[in-house]
Amino acid sequence: MAHPSTYRPRPGEIPTDPGVYRFRDKDGRVIYVGKAKSLRSRLSSYFQDIGQLHPRTASMVLAGASVEWTVVTTEVEALQLEYSWIKEFDPRFNVKYRDDKSYPYLAVTMGEEFPRAQVMRGAKRKGTRYFGPYAHAWAIRETLDQALRVFPMRTCSAGVFKRASQVGRPCLLGYIDKCSAPCVGRVDAEHHRQIAEDFCDFMAGESTKFVKRLERQMKAASDELEFETAARLRDDIGALQRVLEKSAVVFGDGTDADVFALADDELEVAVQVFHVRGGRVRGQRGWVAEKEFETVPEVVGHLLQQLYGGEEGEAVPREVLVPVLPEDDASLGEWLSGLRGSRVDLRVPRRGDKRTLMETVERNASQSLARHKVARAGDLTARSQALQQLQELLELDESPLRIECFDISHVQGTQVVGSMVVFEDGLPRKGEYRRFIVRGQGDGEDGTPVTVDDTAAMHEVLTRRFRRYLKDRDEPQGRDEETGRPTRFAYPPQLVVVDGGLPQVNAAARAIEDLGIVDVSVVGLAKRLEEVWVPGQDFPVVLPRTSEGLYLLQRLRDEAHRFAITFHRQRRSKAMTNSALDGIPGLGEVKRKALLKQFGSVKRIRAASAEDLVEVPGIGRSLAEVIQRELTGAPAEPTVNLMTGEIVDEHRESNE
């Protein structure tokens, strides 16, 4: 692995013109392709201090051994050349978008003499019009079954068509009027092509004119007393309406747009796109791809290049709606306009129906990423591989069948809480999750709680967890009476993971060592660089980005963080909603509500006299005086001992 300084070009050699650059490894393979408005500015950014680079960018430049570039005249040319090189070299550091499944399309082979409608997957063919994609092939067949009543075009294969022509007898669809039977000459090629073109226009969004035409024909047939013909036309209109019902209306103005949304984490990005044609959602596609070192704007730019570029590219609509604009949105919009042949509006929707649809697509992307993670986590082979990798890479004595992860959550050292989540055999055991209220070291001299930093809080939480483990381990009640299995904290983990870097890891390890426990390993996962820290080591363990072991640690860390944040928000909300009436002796919930109903606020209750408070149902004289004293901070009235006649200072006696 070469250091970037060994192949860094001199700044004076790099032109300031727009262009495309390629990084190659020591074997000459292209590992990354990028474009830039100014090659000098962009390439210089890769050769700064490695510590200042994004970790994935650092991985790329460290894997490289040389860099080369090609100057072009415009940014649009750079965009086109970048796309061509990505297709040609398939660089491993460029994002690759692959469908999470093979989506079916409704295809019409307009390039044939007698066009055919069919379900088609895979590479797109020249001379064929595509509609979709659809989520399921049966949805296409249902659509065709309804539409063929009005557009009786050919759907049979070449072999069936040839055999029917030879025997002079059409197939069943020809007899039930769902095919115009060009195979036996009922219609000529020109007439059949017109039927296919009308069907394509209908599927492309021009549905209103066909429905209105059928309505006019139905009315004319009714006026001519041809009721059978009118009934057939009525059924045809119903069939077209059922086809239209299958695609939701989202825009009333016949908008043609592709709506994109992303959901990402540190390693992967899920993409969803809704294809809107004629104001209706005609198709939906989704990808889950590895997220290399691209930012979200770069991801959007590369996604649009791969989706619309090339021979198999999608047809570019009038509008392309994205969650964020790519860095070179002007040149990308110009490139899309060139592909379409007219202006393409590339923008981020801010309000209205289009923003609402964007939010729907975003939810689909989030759910797609969640499903991908669940499917990956549920794979027994992947879980076994993850545990084996952790054992090998972290040099553990045994496979970590039980892993506990701890996280700390607070706001500037206040309301500090901790969380513990448990994974067994790579799966969460939510019944054994635990939450901790971090107590710290008591109160300060002024009575206010002492703030606790992350390391002290982590030490306290680990100490309490493993102190309880030692207690339950040595007591009979630490095991289930029927199964004999250790319960609650009596079951030790093989591996403890903490959310944080070396300071948190050392604090956790110190807490476990102070209790004399030697058979539990501790590591930490630092979020920014996804590095694994081991106690006492100056450098972290870097797990492969695609390893199942790293993925399992990330799931643990994210689950512990979610659990801690949820508990912290609950406590913070409760603290913010506490009332000055809480804690007053003798004042329960019913009487508090009665006071607030009578006076409207705590401020008015504080200003009220004891006589005013007594008027509230359930509030007696003595309780009214207690309320007034607690709210105003006035000292308690002295009481007289009736036996001795002495004045008793209850407040002083209670303190003593």
Side-chain angles (χ1 to χ4, degrees):
M1 184 175 289
H3 192 275
S5 60
T6 61
Y7 65 93
R8 174 179 182 173
R10 290 194 294 270
E13 297 177 349
I14 309 175
T16 58
D17 302 313
V20 184
Y21 55 91
R22 295 178 290 187
F23 279 85
R24 294 182 181 270
D25 62 11
K26 59 182 179 60
D27 299 319
R29 292 173 298 189
V30 176
I31 60 174
Y32 183 71
V33 173
K35 64 181 180 305
K37 296 179 181 179
S38 171
L39 286 169
R40 179 179 299 177
S41 176
R42 176 60 62 85
L43 289 177
S44 297
S45 68
Y46 288 106
F47 295 99
Q48 57 179 304
D49 182 12
I50 292 293
Q52 302 299 319
L53 295 176
H54 189 282
R56 297 183 183 91
T57 306
S59 299
M60 189 272 290
V61 296
L62 288 172
S66 64
V67 61
E68 57 193 35
W69 56 85
T70 299
V71 175
V72 296
T73 56
T74 66
E75 295 176 28
V76 176
E77 289 184 16
L79 197 67
Q80 295 169 337
L81 182 58
E82 180 194 30
Y83 175 77
S84 300
W85 279 359
I86 290 175
K87 282 294 184 183
E88 179 181 354
F89 298 112
D90 192 24
R92 69 185 184 95
F93 281 101
N94 285 93
V95 175
K96 301 174 182 63
Y97 298 98
R98 297 185 175 90
D99 287 347
D100 50 6
K101 52 186 173 182
S102 179
Y103 286 92
Y105 285 82
L106 171 55
V108 182
T109 58
M110 299 300 294
E112 299 182 11
E113 180 182 7
F114 296 98
R116 173 193 176 193
Q118 60 180 317
V119 179
M120 191 173 289
R121 300 175 186 264
K124 293 186 177 180
R125 303 174 185 174
K126 188 176 182 179
T128 301
R129 293 193 62 179
Y130 292 86
F131 304 95
Y134 287 76
H136 304 282
W138 55 260
I140 301 178
R141 297 188 180 97
E142 285 188 358
T143 299
L144 268 178
D145 184 60
Q146 298 293 336
L148 289 177
R149 290 182 55 93
V150 184
F151 308 102
M153 62 180 301
R154 170 193 165 207
T155 57
C156 60
S157 65
V160 173
F161 186 88
K162 182 178 180 180
R163 187 163 53 252
S165 301
Q166 292 172 344
V167 301
R169 187 172 62 248
C171 64
L172 177 62
L173 293 178
Y175 283 109
I176 63 176
D177 295 329
K178 285 194 173 183
C179 179
S180 55
C183 54
V184 295
R186 287 186 186 175
V187 296
D188 57 18
E190 183 178 354
H191 187 185
H192 185 268
R193 178 169 293 275
Q194 185 60 48
I195 294 174
E197 289 177 352
D198 288 346
F199 174 73
C200 291
D201 291 341
F202 174 78
M203 293 302 300
E206 300 179 18
S207 54
T208 305
K209 70 176 185 180
F210 295 103
V211 174
K212 289 184 177 180
R213 185 175 71 183
L214 291 177
E215 289 175 345
R216 288 194 301 268
Q217 293 174 359
M218 180 182 67
K219 188 175 184 302
S222 178
D223 293 341
E224 296 293 332
L225 303 182
E226 297 178 0
F227 299 117
E228 291 184 1
T229 302
R232 180 178 57 79
L233 292 170
R234 178 202 61 200
D235 294 341
D236 290 347
I237 294 172
L240 291 187
Q241 289 175 341
R242 284 190 290 275
V243 171
L244 295 175
E245 287 172 358
K246 293 180 181 299
S247 53
V249 178
V250 291
F251 304 127
D253 56 355
T255 298
D256 290 344
D258 285 346
V259 187
F260 293 85
L262 308 177
D264 64 325
D265 58 14
E266 290 77 12
L267 293 180
E268 294 173 312
V269 57
V271 180
Q272 285 284 317
V273 55
F274 279 18
H275 301 282
V276 180
R277 299 295 183 268
R280 295 175 178 272
V281 178
R282 297 290 185 177
Q284 173 187 359
R285 298 179 72 181
W287 299 265
V288 177
E290 286 187 8
K291 183 182 177 184
E292 301 293 341
F293 58 85
E294 284 87 350
T295 62
V296 173
E298 289 176 324
V299 169
V300 172
H302 290 164
L303 171 64
L304 297 181
Q305 281 181 264
Q306 295 192 32
L307 184 63
Y308 296 119
E311 298 179 357
E312 301 176 9
E314 298 285 341
V316 183
R318 287 194 296 267
E319 293 184 74
V320 176
L321 307 179
V322 293
V324 295
L325 286 175
E327 295 179 346
D328 51 351
D329 58 300
S331 58
L332 192 58
E334 185 178 347
W335 176 68
L336 292 174
S337 299
L339 293 177
R340 177 177 169 80
S342 60
R343 183 176 180 275
V344 174
D345 189 9
L346 174 63
R347 62 187 180 89
V348 179
R350 301 297 183 186
R351 61 181 68 85
D353 293 339
K354 293 176 182 178
R355 179 60 204 172
T356 302
L357 181 60
M358 172 71 75
E359 293 171 353
T360 301
V361 185
E362 288 173 350
R363 287 195 295 272
N364 278 266
S366 299
Q367 293 170 4
S368 175
L369 183 61
R371 288 195 302 270
H372 173 75
K373 287 186 174 182
V374 169
R376 186 173 177 182
D379 187 345
L380 178 61
T381 303
R383 297 203 313 270
S384 301
Q385 183 180 359
L387 297 177
Q388 182 179 0
Q389 286 178 353
L390 291 180
Q391 180 183 359
E392 294 174 355
L393 296 174
L394 300 179
E395 300 179 355
L396 305 178
D397 296 333
E398 57 181 334
S399 182
L401 299 181
R402 179 182 172 104
I403 307 175
E404 295 178 0
C405 186
F406 295 82
D407 187 24
I408 303 297
S409 181
H410 60 85
V411 174
Q412 295 182 349
T414 61
Q415 297 289 344
V416 186
V417 299
S419 68
M420 180 187 92
V421 300
V422 180
F423 275 42
E424 289 190 358
D425 296 330
L427 293 176
R429 290 185 60 90
K430 295 191 176 183
E432 300 192 18
Y433 286 12
R434 293 294 182 268
R435 303 182 298 188
F436 300 85
I437 299 175
V438 178
R439 305 187 183 100
Q441 302 299 322
D443 295 339
E445 296 180 357
D446 58 353
T448 59
V450 175
T451 58
V452 183
D453 61 18
D454 284 353
T455 56
M458 188 67 71
H459 185 278
E460 177 184 332
V461 168
L462 268 294
T463 299
R464 288 164 57 185
R465 184 266 179 269
F466 284 98
R467 186 180 292 152
R468 179 63 182 270
Y469 154 64
L470 295 175
K471 179 181 178 182
D472 288 354
R473 182 192 63 180
D474 299 334
E475 294 182 1
Q477 59 266 33
R479 293 183 175 272
D480 187 274
E481 295 181 357
E482 296 182 0
T483 64
R485 174 186 172 89
T487 59
R488 295 185 181 274
F489 287 109
Y491 193 27
Q494 286 82 36
L495 178 64
V496 167
V497 180
V498 299
D499 183 8
L502 191 58
Q504 288 81 3
V505 173
N506 289 335
R510 188 169 63 254
I512 296 176
E513 292 173 0
D514 291 345
L515 296 173
I517 299 173
V518 296
D519 55 350
V520 176
S521 301
V522 181
V523 298
L525 184 62
K527 187 175 182 62
R528 190 175 72 88
L529 300 178
E530 301 298 323
E531 299 168 330
V532 179
W533 289 91
V534 179
Q537 295 189 8
D538 296 331
F539 299 98
V541 177
V542 179
L543 301 184
R545 287 189 63 255
T546 57
S547 70
E548 294 295 335
L550 177 59
Y551 180 72
L552 177 58
L553 292 182
Q554 287 177 321
R555 289 188 62 222
L556 274 158
R557 189 265 316 282
D558 294 343
E559 180 70 353
H561 185 65
R562 179 199 64 81
F563 198 50
I565 284 290
T566 301
F567 185 40
H568 174 71
R569 287 174 178 167
Q570 292 174 355
R571 286 186 52 79
R572 189 175 60 193
S573 299
K574 183 177 180 181
M576 293 176 66
T577 56
N578 281 345
S579 170
L581 300 177
D582 297 339
I584 296 180
L587 189 63
E589 182 179 357
V590 175
K591 295 179 181 178
R592 286 199 301 270
K593 290 181 178 179
L595 281 170
L596 290 172
K597 183 178 180 181
Q598 179 80 10
F599 294 97
S601 67
V602 175
K603 182 178 180 181
R604 292 183 178 180
I605 298 174
R606 185 181 287 111
S609 63
E611 289 75 14
D612 296 332
L613 296 175
V614 171
E615 296 178 1
V616 178
I619 305 296
R621 180 71 186 186
S622 59
L623 180 55
E625 292 175 353
V626 172
I627 295 172
Q628 195 176 40
R629 182 171 64 249
E630 292 289 337
L631 292 180
T632 60
E637 292 291 333
T639 58
V640 178
N641 188 324
L642 299 179
M643 297 295 295
T644 63
E646 293 179 334
I647 297 177
V648 179
D649 187 349
E650 294 180 345
H651 182 68
R652 179 178 57 81
E653 288 187 350
S654 64
N655 288 339
E656 293 174 353

